[in-house]
């Protein structure tokens, strides 16, 4: 390797030629092969320049880095270790700059030493250091690799193609048709099977929707069961109404029926909110159009259950009226036959109001069904 010569005074010219590690290449080597290597090289230079104090200060960097390195093998991974290493590198680079300035200001000539040996030493340091790090942090690294694999898997699963969207729409259309299908007795017993190990967002959304459909059926069946348990379906039974003091039983049925309807209204809204939240999570948020549809569907569901509660109350008004004039009517094949025109007129008025609410409910149900099929 060629020699570098600087202008020198007579005293320097009389000294034997120095062999030193070049400061700049040494700083670069320290960056790639840790300050352990760089500190030894720069400290060696200071000793040859007859600067033992500077050599000792440089070796302090060596010892500090060695302590941090060994400590990192035993301590859990924390941010303070990288920060200390960066600070030691900065201090080391200032030391290199100081040595380079000393050589320049004192016009010291030297022969650059080969960097082949330091590179080999540096590679040995890196191999040993990394091997010890992997050995001491294997459990931690394994856990981190597992997290990365999970993230990559999630990213892969979140790729949502047009084909996935088409399949989602097809499955949803089939499921909605099943949702609104009925058996001969009017009950709803459709089973929605979840997709095992969903591969993409479309399949995950399908599972979200199927959970929602299953909850709709379960809640409908639960509502029917709870009304039956309180005897609500016998509310307008003529024989029951004719019994003495049956009005108290009626009032209890009405109160319980309204409570049951209110409870299932809340349960249905909670089920809907869960599905919307899950879809938003899978879609990384909802666009304005989807949000608007969600708000409209939520309001439609709220209004539908409000109608149900109004219908129960209207049935209550009709039943209470029958109690009040229980001696002035009888039930025949065609319906209630009143002996008093005023009683008949009031009953017909309440019945018409009931029919209007029922028609409104049927229309709202049909509209919701059509919207679900179209979406």
């Amino acid at each position: 390797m060629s020699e570098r010569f600087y202008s020198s005074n007579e005293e320097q010219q009389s000294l034997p030629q120095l062999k030193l590690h070049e400061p700049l290449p040494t700083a670069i080597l320290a960056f790639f092969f840790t300050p352990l290597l760089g500190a030894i090289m720069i400290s060696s230079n200071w000793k040859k320049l007859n600067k033992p104090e500077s050599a000792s200060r440089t070796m302090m960097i060596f010892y500090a880095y060695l302590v941090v390195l060994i400590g990192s093998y035993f301590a859990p991974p924390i941010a303070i270790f990288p920060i200390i290493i960066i600070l030691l590198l900065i201090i080391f680079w200032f030391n290199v700059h100081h040595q380079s300035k000393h050589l320049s200001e004192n016009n010291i000539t030297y022969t650059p030493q080969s960097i082949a040996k330091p590179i080999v030493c540096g590679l040995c340091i890196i191999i040993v250091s990394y091997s010890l790090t992997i050995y001491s942090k294997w459990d931690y690294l394994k856990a981190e690799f597992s997290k990365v694999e999970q993230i990559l898997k999630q990213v892969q699963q979140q790729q949502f193609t047009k084909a996935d969207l088409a399949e989602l729409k097809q499955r949803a259309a089939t499921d909605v048709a099943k949702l609104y299908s009925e058996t001969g007795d009017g009950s709803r017993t459709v089973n929605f099977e979840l997709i095992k190990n969903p591969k993409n967002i479309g399949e995950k959304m399908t599972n979200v929707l199927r959970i929602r459909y299953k909850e709709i059926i379960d809640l409908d069946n639960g509502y029917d069961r709870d009304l039956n348990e309180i005897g609500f379906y016998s509310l307008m039974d003529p024989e029951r109404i004719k019994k003495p003091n049956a009005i108290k039983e009626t009032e209890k049925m009405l109160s319980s029926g309204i409570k049951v309807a209110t409870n299932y209204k809340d349960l249905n809204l909670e089920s809907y909110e869960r599905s919307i939240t899950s879809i938003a999570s899978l879609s990384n948020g909802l666009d304005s159009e989807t949000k608007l549809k969600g708000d409209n569907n939520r309001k439609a569901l709220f209004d539908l259950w409000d109608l149900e509660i109004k219908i129960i109350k209207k049935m209550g008004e009709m039943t209470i009226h029958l109690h009040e004039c229980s001696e002035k009517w009888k039930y025949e094949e065609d319906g209630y036959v009143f002996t008093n025109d005023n009683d008949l007129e009031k009953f017909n008025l309440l019945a018409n109001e009931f029919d209007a609410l029922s028609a409104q409910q049927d229309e709202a149900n049909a509209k919701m069904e059509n919207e679900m099929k179209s979406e």
Side-chain angles (χ1 to χ4, degrees):
M1 197 171 286
S2 61
E3 296 180 355
R4 290 190 180 179
F5 297 96
Y6 299 86
S7 58
S8 59
N9 53 35
E10 293 180 359
E11 181 180 358
Q12 289 292 341
Q13 289 177 349
S14 65
L15 291 174
Q17 190 68 34
L18 293 171
K19 285 188 176 183
L20 302 176
H21 299 290
E22 288 189 277
L24 180 58
T26 300
I28 295 172
L29 288 176
F31 180 80
F32 289 102
F33 299 114
T34 78
L36 291 177
L37 178 66
I40 292 174
M41 294 169 69
I42 294 300
S43 178
S44 173
N45 283 355
W46 283 124
K47 289 177 182 178
K48 292 176 181 179
L49 293 169
N50 198 25
K51 293 287 184 178
E53 298 85 0
S54 296
S56 298
R57 284 195 292 270
T58 303
M59 287 304 294
M60 291 297 293
I61 299 172
F62 173 91
Y63 296 128
Y65 187 88
L66 188 62
V67 169
V68 172
L69 192 62
I70 294 173
S72 68
Y73 297 146
F74 300 98
I78 51 178
I80 190 65
F81 287 127
I83 293 173
I84 294 174
I85 290 172
I86 292 172
L87 290 174
L88 289 174
L89 271 172
I90 293 172
I91 294 170
F92 173 75
W93 288 331
F94 273 115
N95 193 292
V96 172
H97 174 72
H98 176 57
Q99 187 173 97
S100 179
K101 185 178 180 182
H102 174 77
L103 292 172
S104 177
E105 289 178 348
N106 291 278
N107 298 319
I108 298 173
T109 60
Y110 65 91
T111 300
Q113 287 188 258
S114 172
I115 62 171
K117 186 176 179 180
I119 288 177
V120 173
C121 293
L123 288 172
C124 292
I125 291 173
I126 291 297
I127 291 171
V128 173
S129 175
Y130 281 16
S131 298
L132 290 173
T133 299
I134 293 172
Y135 176 77
S136 62
K137 297 291 185 293
W138 177 247
D139 290 339
Y140 171 79
L141 293 172
K142 188 176 179 181
E144 291 302 309
F145 287 144
S146 178
K147 290 179 183 178
V148 172
E149 288 177 357
Q150 188 65 26
I151 291 172
L152 292 175
K153 186 177 180 181
Q154 289 175 355
V155 170
Q156 186 178 7
Q157 289 179 339
Q158 288 177 356
Q159 294 176 349
F160 195 37
T161 64
K162 291 182 178 179
D164 295 331
L165 178 60
E167 289 180 4
L168 170 63
K169 288 182 176 180
Q170 181 61 42
R171 287 190 296 264
T174 302
D175 289 345
V176 170
K178 287 170 61 178
L179 174 66
Y180 284 98
S181 65
E182 293 185 352
T183 59
D185 60 359
S187 62
R188 305 173 77 176
T189 57
V190 181
N191 181 40
F192 292 96
E193 187 175 346
L194 299 183
I195 298 174
K196 294 180 180 179
N197 303 317
K199 301 180 183 64
N200 53 53
I201 293 179
E203 293 186 352
K204 288 183 178 181
M205 283 190 177
T206 296
N207 282 349
V208 170
L209 293 175
R210 286 181 176 176
I211 290 171
R212 169 62 179 153
Y213 300 152
K214 184 179 183 303
E215 288 180 351
I216 289 174
I217 291 176
D218 289 344
L219 289 171
D220 279 358
N221 291 336
Y223 179 56
D224 184 70
R225 181 191 65 245
D226 288 359
L227 287 180
N228 190 53
E229 285 180 358
I230 64 173
F232 187 79
Y233 293 122
S234 66
L235 180 69
M236 296 190 70
D237 178 49
E239 291 184 8
R240 188 195 68 80
I241 295 173
K242 288 282 189 179
K243 291 179 181 179
N245 299 318
I247 190 169
K248 291 183 179 179
E249 183 183 50
T250 294
E251 290 172 347
K252 184 178 179 181
M253 281 184 186
L254 286 172
S255 176
S256 298
I258 291 171
K259 286 180 181 179
V260 169
T262 302
N263 180 47
Y264 276 89
K265 171 186 176 181
D266 294 339
L267 291 175
N268 272 275
L269 288 171
E270 288 170 8
S271 171
Y272 181 77
E273 290 299 338
R274 281 195 300 272
S275 66
I276 287 294
T277 301
S278 297
I279 290 173
S281 177
L282 289 171
S283 306
N284 294 321
L286 301 174
D287 56 37
S288 57
E289 183 180 356
T290 307
K291 284 182 180 178
L292 180 60
K293 285 183 179 179
D295 291 340
N296 290 338
N297 290 339
R298 189 182 294 106
K299 184 178 184 304
L301 187 61
F302 185 92
D303 292 344
L304 195 58
W305 277 96
D306 269 2
L307 265 176
E308 178 70 11
I309 294 170
K310 287 179 182 179
I311 287 173
I312 290 175
K313 290 179 177 179
K314 190 58 64 177
M315 289 176 66
E317 291 180 36
M318 294 168 66
T319 307
I320 294 297
H321 174 62
L322 291 174
H323 278 295
E324 290 173 347
C325 58
S326 60
E327 301 300 323
K328 302 176 183 178
W329 60 267
K330 61 181 179 178
Y331 189 80
E332 297 182 352
E333 224 175 273
D334 295 335
Y336 297 95
V337 178
F338 292 86
T339 59
N340 185 293
D341 289 342
N342 289 334
D343 293 335
L344 173 62
E345 184 179 344
K346 183 176 180 180
F347 183 82
N348 286 340
L349 176 63
L350 293 171
N352 289 336
E353 291 174 349
F354 173 82
D355 290 341
L357 289 173
S358 296
Q360 191 177 347
Q361 186 183 53
D362 291 340
E363 184 181 347
N365 277 320
K367 182 179 179 181
M368 180 172 288
E369 179 180 349
N370 290 333
E371 286 181 354
M372 289 185 70
K373 288 180 178 179
S374 65
E375 292 176 4

